[in-house]
Amino acid sequence: MAQAATRPEPCPGLPGPRFAVVGNPENRRVELFTAAVREAGLPAPRVVPWLDVLRDGGAAFGADEVVRLESPGENADVDLALRAMDDPTRVEGSARWYGRFMAAARTLSGGRRLDAPDELGVLFDKRLCHDVLARAGVPVPPSPTSGAAAAVQGWDDVRALMREHRMPRLFVKLAHGSSASGVLAVETAHAGRIRATTSVEMAGGHLHNSLRVRRYRNEREIAAIVDGLAPDGLHVERWMPKASLHARVADLRIVVIGGRATHAVVRTSKSPLTNLHLGGARGELAAAVEAAGARWGEALDICERAAACFPGTLCVGVDLLPATGWQRFTVGEVNAFGDLLPRLTGLPGSGAEGLGTYAAQIAAVRGHPPIAAAPLRAASARHRAASGPPCPTNHPARNHHAHT
């Protein structure tokens, strides 16, 4: 068994970093991060509400503040300000959300940011993110919309791309969506019939997010949904057959902090959508590691290579798609706010053993980035040598170093 990396103790007599968080104060993300900061023996972070940033046109931070952005989601007033939708269940408005959120992120000044605004702009555009990953040699599903190469105006364009690129099964995603909002898993059947699996519900002439996964078999209904989503921008990619675990399809969320894969959770489902709020369930990580065997190190390496494409961002959550048989992996998405995994501690040999995702980020900021044990990386090192140089490796745990 790999030996856990030894984390150096803080230097006595020197102050720790002073954190500030831009988020929704009532949200559990802010509460959990605040608790982790206090448990690290540091002063509680200053919380700057997203609503204040949007109303005031920005926020300023002191030179000694380490600034963390949290998701602006799950707040009706913030959602209204970003999407101009008075019903938070509505799917539409993601392009407006993207433009206003990116503008708000750029109004923040001062401090030491744990994210780069330009990188946020890529992470929240699936077309741009796909292109960055593909150009860096990170395995991703084939996509005709990578880098916004093809504009999708509606269902007719999707149908044309399916024919042109020979994609009988594909995912249609909102370019700026999250949490499976506006995602359709589309597949053709015999005699040209179409089926779409999605959480989108059509009601009252509008599209709504639902907690129940639906299957549409009427092409006119599917076309109406896609046509309704298209004005916000769509990303299309090939549906890669996923591995299974205990007779359920499975994928993984891998958290990468300071360049190291530190935390992992298996998500399983009976539908193509594995999101936990849509009926997905956590699977057994030990079973997934066993199924991957010698390829597990390669899986973690792929996630680290994906994260390395965003060197100005301390932490990302990588959605890793294992192919049937658990011997090949592709990256489905890279998430800027993909670290909400309560009660989950670090992988053995990751350097973050015993630490939650927030505690591991605090340790990285204090100058103690996770250090993977050598045996865990043996397979990864061989893969790197075979595949050539990865993305830049100036990870933010080094860039945003704060004295301890």
Side-chain angles (χ1 to χ4, degrees):
M1 180 179 294
Q3 295 296 313
T6 301
R7 186 177 295 103
E9 293 299 320
C11 301
L14 293 179
R18 192 161 69 96
F19 283 98
V21 179
V22 184
N24 298 326
E26 77 289 351
N27 192 273
R28 61 175 176 160
R29 291 175 177 268
V30 172
E31 293 174 354
L32 289 170
F33 183 73
T34 297
V37 171
R38 285 174 168 165
E39 288 171 5
L42 298 172
R46 178 166 74 98
V47 179
V48 178
W50 273 118
L51 197 58
D52 290 354
V53 172
L54 293 165
R55 287 174 174 171
D56 300 341
F61 300 90
D64 63 335
E65 286 186 297
V66 178
V67 183
R68 170 187 175 84
L69 300 193
E70 275 292 3
S71 169
E74 301 179 2
N75 181 294
D77 292 332
V78 173
D79 187 64
L80 178 62
L82 290 174
R83 291 198 303 139
M85 291 282 178
D86 56 7
D87 183 350
T89 71
R90 289 276 296 277
V91 180
E92 303 94 332
S94 59
R96 186 181 298 112
W97 180 98
Y98 175 79
R100 292 181 178 181
F101 178 61
M102 290 303 108
R106 290 188 172 91
T107 64
L108 306 175
S109 62
R112 287 171 286 173
R113 291 278 293 271
L114 297 183
D115 59 84
D118 289 343
E119 291 182 4
L120 275 178
V122 175
L123 288 166
F124 279 103
D125 189 320
K126 297 184 194 328
R127 301 162 300 189
L128 300 181
C129 186
H130 186 284
D131 183 57
V132 167
L133 296 173
R135 289 177 181 274
V138 175
V140 289
S143 169
T145 57
S146 184
V152 180
Q153 304 296 332
W155 176 245
D156 288 343
D157 288 345
V158 172
R159 270 296 219 172
L161 291 173
M162 293 174 72
R163 291 191 298 268
E164 181 182 351
H165 296 273
R166 298 181 179 179
M167 293 191 299
R169 301 171 81 237
L170 78 163
F171 276 91
V172 179
K173 303 179 178 181
L174 282 171
H176 312 298
S178 61
S179 302
S181 175
V183 173
L184 293 90
V186 179
E187 54 192 324
T188 55
H190 297 296
R193 292 195 302 270
I194 292 285
R195 181 174 73 174
T197 303
T198 180
S199 63
V200 176
E201 177 184 8
M202 301 177 63
H206 300 298
L207 304 178
H208 296 262
N209 283 311
S210 168
L211 294 179
R212 183 168 70 85
V213 174
R214 290 168 165 76
R215 286 183 172 85
Y216 293 91
R217 292 176 173 84
N218 185 310
E219 185 167 354
R220 272 190 276 186
E221 289 183 325
I222 297 169
I225 293 173
V226 173
D227 289 347
L229 297 173
D232 282 310
L234 295 177
H235 175 59
V236 172
E237 61 187 27
R238 187 180 298 276
W239 179 345
M240 308 295 286
K242 287 183 186 178
S244 63
L245 204 61
H246 304 312
R248 294 164 64 94
V249 296
D251 61 19
L252 300 109
R253 167 65 59 84
I254 308 288
V255 175
V256 182
I257 298 171
R260 294 296 186 186
T262 58
H263 298 73
V265 64
V266 181
R267 305 181 302 185
T268 70
S269 177
K270 293 182 178 180
S271 86
L273 307 179
T274 59
N275 301 73
L276 301 181
H277 71 286
L278 295 178
R282 286 195 183 189
E284 297 178 25
L285 181 60
V289 174
E290 182 180 0
R295 297 285 187 178
W296 178 246
E298 179 182 335
L300 298 183
D301 181 73
I302 288 171
C303 295
E304 292 179 357
R305 289 163 54 202
C309 294
F310 304 96
T313 303
L314 176 66
C315 175
V316 295
V318 181
D319 289 345
L320 190 68
L321 315 178
T324 304
W326 291 88
Q327 297 303 293
R328 291 184 298 106
F329 303 88
T330 54
V331 171
E333 296 185 12
V334 182
N335 304 274
F337 302 130
D339 56 357
L340 181 61
L341 299 172
R343 299 178 299 282
L344 185 72
T345 54
L347 292 166
S350 68
E353 297 89 334
L355 297 179
T357 57
Y358 295 138
Q361 291 172 68
I362 294 164
V365 170
R366 300 183 79 174
H368 308 151
I371 301 172
L376 188 65
R377 294 296 159 204
S380 302
R382 290 194 297 271
H383 178 74
R384 265 194 295 266
S387 61
C391 300
T393 55
N394 52 326
H395 295 294
R398 304 178 188 103
N399 293 348
H400 297 277
H401 185 81
H403 292 297
T404 54

